[in-house]
Coordinates of all heavy atoms in Angstrom, one line a residue:
R10 N 225.2 64.0 -53.3 CA 225.0 65.2 -52.5 C 224.3 66.2 -53.4 O 224.4 66.2 -54.6 CB 226.4 65.8 -52.1 CG 227.3 66.3 -53.2 CD 228.6 66.7 -52.6 NE 229.5 67.3 -53.6 CZ 230.8 67.7 -53.4 NH1 231.3 67.5 -52.1 NH2 231.5 68.2 -54.3
Q11 N 223.6 67.1 -52.7 CA 222.8 68.2 -53.4 C 223.0 69.5 -52.7 O 222.6 69.6 -51.5 CB 221.3 67.8 -53.4 CG 220.5 68.7 -54.3 CD 219.1 68.1 -54.6 OE1 218.7 67.2 -53.9 NE2 218.5 68.6 -55.6
A12 N 223.6 70.4 -53.4 CA 223.8 71.8 -52.8 C 222.5 72.6 -53.2 O 221.8 72.2 -54.1 CB 225.0 72.4 -53.4
P13 N 222.3 73.7 -52.4 CA 221.1 74.5 -52.7 C 221.0 74.9 -54.1 O 222.0 75.5 -54.7 CB 221.3 75.6 -51.7 CG 222.1 75.1 -50.6 CD 223.0 74.1 -51.3
G14 N 219.9 74.7 -54.8 CA 219.7 75.2 -56.1 C 220.4 74.3 -57.2 O 220.4 74.7 -58.4
K15 N 221.0 73.2 -56.8 CA 221.7 72.4 -57.8 C 221.1 71.0 -57.8 O 220.4 70.6 -57.0 CB 223.2 72.4 -57.4 CG 223.9 73.7 -57.5 CD 225.4 73.6 -57.4 CE 226.0 75.0 -57.6 NZ 227.5 74.9 -57.5
Q16 N 221.5 70.3 -58.8 CA 221.1 68.9 -59.0 C 221.8 68.0 -58.0 O 222.9 68.4 -57.4 CB 221.3 68.4 -60.4 CG 222.8 68.3 -60.8 CD 223.0 67.8 -62.2 OE1 222.1 67.9 -63.0 NE2 224.1 67.3 -62.5
R17 N 221.3 66.8 -57.8 CA 221.9 65.8 -56.9 C 223.1 65.2 -57.7 O 222.8 64.6 -58.8 CB 220.9 64.8 -56.5 CG 221.4 63.9 -55.4 CD 220.3 63.0 -54.8 NE 219.2 63.7 -54.2 CZ 218.2 63.2 -53.5 NH1 218.1 61.9 -53.4 NH2 217.3 63.9 -53.0
D18 N 224.2 65.2 -57.1 CA 225.4 64.6 -57.8 C 226.0 63.4 -57.1 O 226.0 63.3 -55.9 CB 226.5 65.7 -57.9 CG 226.2 66.9 -58.8 OD1 225.5 66.6 -59.8 OD2 226.6 68.0 -58.5
F19 N 226.5 62.5 -57.9 CA 227.2 61.3 -57.4 C 228.5 61.7 -56.6 O 229.2 62.6 -57.1 CB 227.5 60.4 -58.5 CG 228.4 59.2 -58.2 CD1 227.9 58.1 -57.5 CD2 229.7 59.2 -58.6 CE1 228.7 57.1 -57.2 CE2 230.5 58.1 -58.2 CZ 230.0 57.1 -57.5
V20 N 228.7 61.1 -55.5 CA 230.0 61.3 -54.8 C 230.9 60.0 -54.8 O 232.0 60.1 -55.2 CB 229.7 61.7 -53.3 CG1 231.0 61.8 -52.5 CG2 228.9 63.0 -53.2
A21 N 230.3 58.9 -54.4 CA 231.1 57.7 -54.3 C 230.1 56.5 -54.1 O 229.0 56.7 -53.6 CB 232.1 57.7 -53.2
S22 N 230.6 55.3 -54.5 CA 229.8 54.1 -54.3 C 230.8 52.9 -54.0 O 231.9 53.0 -54.4 CB 228.9 53.8 -55.4 OG 229.6 53.5 -56.6
I23 N 230.2 51.9 -53.4 CA 231.0 50.7 -53.1 C 230.0 49.5 -53.2 O 228.9 49.5 -52.6 CB 231.7 50.8 -51.8 CG1 232.6 49.6 -51.5 CG2 230.7 51.0 -50.6 CD1 233.5 49.8 -50.3
T24 N 230.5 48.4 -53.8 CA 229.7 47.2 -53.8 C 230.0 46.3 -52.6 O 230.9 46.6 -51.9 CB 230.0 46.4 -55.1 OG1 231.3 45.9 -55.0 CG2 229.9 47.3 -56.4
T25 N 229.2 45.3 -52.5 CA 229.4 44.3 -51.4 C 230.8 43.6 -51.5 O 231.4 43.2 -50.5 CB 228.3 43.3 -51.3 OG1 228.0 42.8 -52.6 CG2 227.0 43.8 -50.7
S26 N 231.3 43.5 -52.7 CA 232.6 42.9 -52.9 C 233.7 43.9 -52.8 O 234.9 43.5 -52.9 CB 232.7 42.3 -54.3 OG 232.5 43.2 -55.3
G27 N 233.4 45.2 -52.5 CA 234.5 46.2 -52.2 C 234.9 47.0 -53.4 O 235.8 47.8 -53.3
S28 N 234.3 46.8 -54.6 CA 234.7 47.7 -55.7 C 234.1 49.1 -55.5 O 232.9 49.2 -55.2 CB 234.1 47.1 -57.0 OG 234.7 45.8 -57.3
T29 N 234.9 50.1 -55.7 CA 234.5 51.4 -55.5 C 234.6 52.3 -56.7 O 235.2 52.0 -57.7 CB 235.4 52.1 -54.4 OG1 236.8 52.1 -54.9 CG2 235.4 51.3 -53.1
S30 N 233.8 53.3 -56.7 CA 233.8 54.3 -57.7 C 233.6 55.7 -57.0 O 232.9 55.8 -56.0 CB 232.6 54.1 -58.7 OG 232.6 55.0 -59.7
D31 N 234.3 56.7 -57.6 CA 234.1 58.0 -56.9 C 234.2 59.1 -57.9 O 234.9 59.0 -59.0 CB 235.2 58.2 -55.8 CG 236.6 57.9 -56.2 OD1 237.2 58.7 -56.9 OD2 237.0 56.8 -56.0
A32 N 233.6 60.2 -57.6 CA 233.6 61.4 -58.4 C 234.9 62.2 -58.3 O 235.6 62.1 -57.3 CB 232.4 62.3 -58.1
D33 N 235.2 62.9 -59.3 CA 236.5 63.7 -59.3 C 236.4 64.7 -58.2 O 237.5 65.1 -57.6 CB 236.6 64.5 -60.6 CG 237.0 63.5 -61.8 OD1 237.4 62.4 -61.5 OD2 236.8 63.9 -62.9

């Protein structure tokens, strides 16, 4: 996600095998 005037930040991801990662 990218808010106005800010850098693009990671939110969450998931692999085809279902492993997830997410931001605080």
Side-chain angles (χ1 to χ4, degrees):
R10 68 185 185 183
Q11 187 167 18
K15 296 189 176 181
Q16 66 182 20
R17 190 173 296 188
D18 292 328
F19 171 76
V20 176
S22 66
I23 183 169
T24 69
T25 43
S26 60
S28 295
T29 62
S30 180
D31 51 81
D33 289 342

